[in-house]
Amino acid sequence: MNSLRYIALLVVVLILASLSGWWLSELRKQPSPAITPDDTHYDYFLTNFDANVVNEQGKTIYLLKAAYMEHFPLNNRAVLTQPRFTLLETTSTWEAQAQNGVVFAKQQTLDLSGNVVVRQTAKTMAAVMLTTDKLHINVKQKTLQTASKVKIQSGKDTIIATGLRANLANGQLELLSHVQGQYHVPPR
């Protein structure tokens, strides 16, 4: 019986020794490297969000809404699905919507793509609607820019061109090439 206890104790000691050896080897292993941020991993996402951006005086300068957003911390970029952007700090209200968008917060820019529609509403003139495939908006400078085909409509009047530069703050509009227009003279 003593020899059976001795053998059982020896087996337990050997098992403990092998487990402690394995445990010490696990402790000595280098920790796995931390995940470094890159351009393919987002740190948070939002669904159905609304953002009101204000200036130093607390006045709302623009509104941004989207069905879905993913934020990428490496370049402080937000990728948007079904974005809606409203610029309020001009002589009239400008609203833009698209299938997709990318916001670069530091540069204060918004790149829209896929069925981009921009509407301008002003109490003193007819509403203007601009449609294109891609549009770059510089929020700080209040400018619009595209190299794509663009269609501008106001009432019955239509202009089609390739490429556009617009300054919303001062009302300047430059159509870059292949400009065609149709103007309806109002009856007298």
Side-chain angles (χ1 to χ4, degrees):
M1 198 54 108
N2 267 344
S3 65
L4 195 55
R5 281 187 193 166
Y6 177 73
I7 292 173
L9 182 62
L10 184 62
V11 169
V12 169
V13 168
L14 288 174
I15 290 173
L16 287 175
S18 65
L19 286 176
S20 64
W22 170 79
W23 181 62
L24 285 174
S25 71
E26 287 295 313
L27 286 177
R28 288 185 187 135
K29 285 184 180 177
Q30 293 292 331
S32 59
I35 297 174
T36 56
D38 63 22
D39 203 23
T40 62
H41 293 92
Y42 59 88
D43 57 348
Y44 65 88
F45 69 92
L46 300 172
T47 57
N48 298 319
F49 81 95
D50 295 338
N52 295 349
V53 179
V54 297
N55 60 16
E56 293 80 19
Q57 293 77 33
K59 181 181 175 188
T60 301
I61 53 176
Y62 69 87
L63 309 170
L64 181 61
K65 300 177 180 185
Y68 183 77
M69 179 194 84
E70 292 177 346
H71 179 262
F72 295 83
L74 187 65
N75 53 9
N76 200 15
R77 164 178 68 103
V79 177
L80 310 171
T81 303
Q82 298 174 349
R84 297 179 66 87
F85 172 78
T86 305
L87 183 62
L88 302 169
E89 201 179 43
T90 59
T91 56
S92 59
T93 300
W94 289 87
E95 297 177 353
Q97 65 184 54
Q99 290 175 343
N100 302 296
V102 178
V103 175
F104 291 95
K106 189 173 183 178
Q107 295 87 355
Q108 294 188 17
T109 61
L110 171 62
D111 290 326
L112 298 175
S113 62
N115 295 324
V116 180
V117 178
V118 180
R119 289 182 176 87
Q120 179 228 16
T121 55
K123 295 177 182 174
T124 59
M125 56 198 260
V128 175
M129 185 173 78
L130 179 148
T131 56
T132 187
D133 288 335
K134 294 181 181 181
L135 185 67
H136 175 78
I137 301 173
N138 186 314
V139 178
K140 190 173 187 175
Q141 297 175 357
K142 299 173 187 63
T143 59
L144 307 176
Q145 186 171 339
T146 186
S148 298
K149 185 177 178 180
V150 63
K151 182 177 181 179
I152 303 170
Q153 294 176 286
S154 180
K156 293 181 180 180
D157 305 328
T158 303
I159 298 173
I160 297 172
T162 302
L164 164 115
R165 285 190 209 119
N167 185 324
L168 304 180
N170 64 18
Q172 289 183 336
L173 174 72
E174 181 182 2
L175 301 169
L176 303 181
S177 66
H178 303 14
V179 180
Q180 298 175 349
Q182 186 175 15
Y183 176 74
H184 293 272
V185 178
R188 294 187 187 241

